[in-house]
Amino acid sequence: MTRSIIHSEQAPAAIGPYSQAVRHGNTVYFSGQTPLDPATGTLVEGDISTQTRRVFDNLAAVAKAAGGSFAQFVRVGIYVTDLANFAAVNAVMAEYFQQPYPARSTIEVSALPKGAQVEIDAIMVLD
């Protein structure tokens, strides 16, 4: 089975040697998205909620380009620079996902690219 590269102009271009997502069979593996504005490639200003919404909007654009949506996400990995923001990130995620929720991990890291407060990667299985 071959792999397909997924790309959306509605999400920021990769800032390194990687693809926005890769599809293998019915599974789509998303690279981590940070809160970059797709039009400018710059970090969006604002609190953790604002940044998290931008990340989910970026992921939604890549999911759409792959032919899917958040309803098909099976795993989400969230990386934050401050676990004190856990509740705020949960609240934003609840705006984008409905039950049954995907599996998830949330990990505090010391830093993220371009000074972001949050980065999220995911796995989606298409029907």
Side-chain angles (χ1 to χ4, degrees), residues 1-27:
M1 197 172 283
T2 61
R3 63 186 184 139
S4 307
I5 302 304
I6 308 299
H7 177 78
S8 171
E9 293 296 325
Q10 304 305 310
I15 58 174
Y18 60 89
S19 300
Q20 291 173 335
V22 176
R23 179 176 177 171
H24 184 268
N26 288 342
T27 304

Side-chain angles (χ1 to χ4, degrees), residues 10-11 52-62 70 96:
Q10 304 305 310
T52 303
R53 281 186 192 92
R54 178 74 262 163
V55 170
F56 280 123
D57 290 343
N58 292 343
L59 287 168
V62 178
F70 287 137
Y96 288 84

Side-chain angles (χ1 to χ4, degrees), residues 11-12 31-37 43-44 48-62 70 73 76-79 92 96 116-121:
S31 294
Q33 283 285 336
T34 55
L36 299 180
D37 181 311
L43 187 71
V44 297
I48 189 69
S49 296
T50 300
Q51 288 200 0
T52 303
R53 281 186 192 92
R54 178 74 262 163
V55 170
F56 280 123
D57 290 343
N58 292 343
L59 287 168
V62 178
F70 287 137
F73 277 41
V76 174
I78 300 176
Y79 309 89
V92 173
Y96 288 84
Q117 297 178 61
V118 60
E119 180 172 348
I120 302 174
D121 62 18

Side-chain angles (χ1 to χ4, degrees), residues 41-105:
T42 60
L43 187 71
V44 297
E45 297 294 325
D47 63 9
I48 189 69
S49 296
T50 300
Q51 288 200 0
T52 303
R53 281 186 192 92
R54 178 74 262 163
V55 170
F56 280 123
D57 290 343
N58 292 343
L59 287 168
V62 178
K64 183 177 179 182
S69 70
F70 287 137
Q72 295 156 305
F73 277 41
V74 296
R75 185 192 178 283
V76 174
I78 300 176
Y79 309 89
V80 293
T81 56
D82 187 350
L83 272 177
N85 291 322
F86 185 78
V89 171
N90 279 342
V92 173
M93 185 171 169
E95 296 172 14
Y96 288 84
F97 289 85
Q98 297 179 1
Q99 290 190 14
Y101 300 117
R104 187 183 99 181
S105 58

